[in-house]
Amino acid sequence: MTDASTKRYRLDTHRLRDPSQTLALVQPHLKRMGITRVANLTGLDRIGLPTVMVCRPNSRSVAVSLGKGLSLEAAQASGVMEAIESWHAERITRPLRRASYADLRAEANVADIDRLPKVTGGRFDPHRRLLWIEGHDLGADSPCWVPHEMVDTDYTEPPNGGHCAFPRSTNGLASGNDLSEATCHAICEVIERDATTLWHQGPRDQRIDPATINDPRCREALERFTAAGIDVGVWNTTSDVGVDCFHCAICEAGTQPGHIGLGDGCHPDRAIALLRALTEAAQTRLTYISGTRDDLEPKDFTDTALQARGRYVRELIDGAVPTGDFSACPSNATESFAGDLDWLVSRLASVGIKQVISVDLSQEGLDIAVVRAVIPGLEAPHDDPDFVPGPRARGVRA
């Protein structure tokens, strides 16, 4: 019998449906979600890796989402799904519960508050009531409550019924063609952000020798950069969790001025993880070139800012000898999302991460799953302005 979560699309990511099928499925719902435009940005840069922007003017967070892929259709599906997941997280329909942490934990399974990421100036009072939303602890296979302010992304007002004690971000927010697919993508994102944060606390070594990158899709992306006169640096940022993670930095060759790009990727398949980092770097560069994101500020486009970013990437690439062997990185992807999910949970458990909480934000009438993953013990993104290093980051610093 075929597993219902068997992967059927495996080109530039793993999905249950190919991009054209996903786009056809969501097309009738775009108006309801306020998606007004899907624009091709690829031609604004000379690299040529497909990138799109998706506009949602009445968004309660950012109004522009970005998508990338090896084909324009894949990039469109990527961008539209990102906009869709944001829309879901802004309009949560699941029941909420108002209680103090002390009272709730006496009768229910609750996220380990002490291991959740904190924010600068945040204070958590275990005896003060706040709103909670129910998720599912995949490790214990049981319901588990998490703070609503960690899941909600309606940034038009302070967190409803929250303490402002935890990060409000989209880290771990993902969509998919079914729940297992969305959950795998969500967990991989949280693992990726944790790995990237740890890498930034350390010596930033493990740069990959590009000659060892033997996947034809990744080779194609690298050749596009080279042909466009773009220098590339790739680092293996995989943490002790053991799920492949890579960081990619690109800049103009030599001392030429121009926009940079940074990208990260995480996946059980090493080639997909690297490809995500490569295409995201191209996407980031196009984000600056197009100026489309509403979370970019005028100061980001000054000569001073442009030169500072260029120096950072130039020094990053020149300061690390490329000795890492991509072909030595393990690849652990299975044929199904159910298999990948079991493996991801087991890898987290191997480093003492016992709670892997998935909050289902999917809404009725849409054949799309949206999930928010909350994983107590993993680090928040290091580049959040109110980031507070947790035990893992402090351990690397030490």
Side-chain angles (χ1 to χ4, degrees):
M1 181 180 294
T2 302
D3 186 340
S5 69
T6 299
K7 303 167 184 176
R8 296 177 179 84
Y9 178 81
R10 305 174 70 115
L11 179 58
D12 41 12
T13 186
H14 290 181
R15 295 286 188 187
L16 291 175
R17 301 182 178 104
D18 68 42
S20 62
Q21 292 174 315
T22 299
L23 288 169
L25 188 70
V26 302
Q27 181 66 40
H29 307 289
L30 300 188
K31 181 177 180 181
R32 169 186 170 190
M33 298 178 189
I35 296 174
T36 59
R37 185 183 183 204
V38 180
N40 182 4
L41 300 180
T42 313
L44 296 180
D45 198 2
R46 60 185 188 275
I47 295 172
L49 285 170
T51 301
V52 305
M53 59 176 281
V54 179
C55 299
R56 198 164 52 92
N58 287 329
S59 165
R60 298 174 186 173
S61 51
V62 292
V64 174
S65 300
L66 282 302
K68 73 275 187 188
L70 289 183
S71 68
L72 180 58
E73 209 164 38
Q76 290 169 333
S78 169
V80 166
M81 292 294 273
E82 182 178 290
I84 287 174
E85 66 200 33
S86 296
W87 180 85
H88 278 75
E90 295 167 0
R91 294 164 174 80
I92 294 174
T93 58
R94 289 184 63 86
L96 305 178
R97 184 168 178 178
R98 188 174 181 85
S100 71
Y101 173 68
D103 289 342
L104 187 57
R105 69 178 301 201
E107 57 182 88
N109 188 22
V110 184
D112 187 344
I113 293 294
D114 292 336
R115 303 191 74 187
L116 289 177
K118 307 299 189 294
V119 295
T120 302
R123 293 182 179 180
F124 178 76
D125 182 351
H127 300 288
R128 177 185 163 194
R129 293 194 301 164
L130 70 156
L131 287 178
W132 301 83
I133 186 169
E134 188 180 45
H136 189 78
D137 183 349
L138 301 175
D141 191 21
S142 66
C144 185
W145 294 84
V146 300
H148 176 254
E149 67 184 272
M150 286 199 70
V151 179
D152 168 59
T153 63
D154 182 353
Y155 302 146
T156 59
E157 58 185 9
N160 182 17
H163 286 189
C164 297
F166 308 104
R168 299 190 77 198
S169 71
T170 59
N171 184 26
L173 179 63
S175 54
N177 292 286
D178 82 344
L179 199 59
S180 62
E181 179 186 311
T183 305
C184 284
H185 289 305
I187 291 172
C188 281
E189 181 167 278
V190 183
I191 293 173
E192 171 202 301
R193 302 286 173 79
D194 170 83
T196 304
T197 292
L198 298 183
W199 179 76
H200 274 277
Q201 312 303 311
R204 306 185 191 183
D205 53 5
Q206 294 295 316
R207 184 178 163 202
I208 296 292
D209 180 352
T212 67
I213 298 174
N214 52 8
D215 179 80
R217 297 160 296 182
C218 296
R219 294 293 329 163
E220 177 190 344
L222 289 169
E223 288 163 7
R224 284 183 178 271
F225 288 128
T226 301
I230 301 294
D231 283 349
V232 186
V234 174
W235 288 261
N236 180 2
T237 58
T238 306
S239 71
D240 55 345
V241 176
V243 184
D244 285 315
C245 296
F246 297 96
H247 179 73
C248 175
I250 62 174
C251 66
E252 297 287 346
T255 58
Q256 293 296 313
H259 290 291
I260 59 98
L262 300 173
D264 297 279
C266 173
H267 199 274
D269 183 325
R270 70 183 179 213
I272 297 298
L274 176 55
L275 191 59
R276 284 183 173 179
L278 295 170
T279 54
E280 186 171 273
Q283 172 189 289
T284 304
R285 179 175 149 97
L286 261 170
T287 303
Y288 281 117
I289 291 172
S290 63
T292 52
R293 285 275 293 203
D294 45 316
D295 54 353
L296 294 177
E297 300 180 21
K299 66 180 181 180
D300 295 323
F301 295 90
T302 63
D303 289 342
T304 300
L306 188 66
Q307 292 166 8
R309 289 195 297 268
R311 281 196 305 271
Y312 167 76
V313 173
R314 183 79 269 157
E315 292 170 1
L316 194 62
I317 294 175
D318 293 344
V321 179
T323 57
D325 186 352
F326 175 75
S327 64
C329 300
S331 205
N332 295 282
T334 71
E335 295 300 311
S336 71
F337 287 106
D340 282 5
L341 191 54
D342 287 343
W343 182 76
L344 290 168
V345 172
S346 70
R347 287 309 311 157
L348 289 162
S350 74
V351 295
I353 306 293
K354 302 301 184 183
Q355 288 184 320
V356 183
I357 306 163
S358 171
V359 183
D360 184 2
L361 302 179
S362 312
Q363 295 195 16
E364 291 185 11
L366 299 173
D367 192 15
I368 291 294
V370 175
V371 162
R372 179 63 182 262
V374 177
I375 307 179
L378 294 188
E379 296 287 338
H382 74 284
D383 52 357
D384 284 353
D386 53 4
F387 170 69
V388 174
R392 288 167 61 80
R394 294 196 300 270
V396 172
R397 284 183 178 181

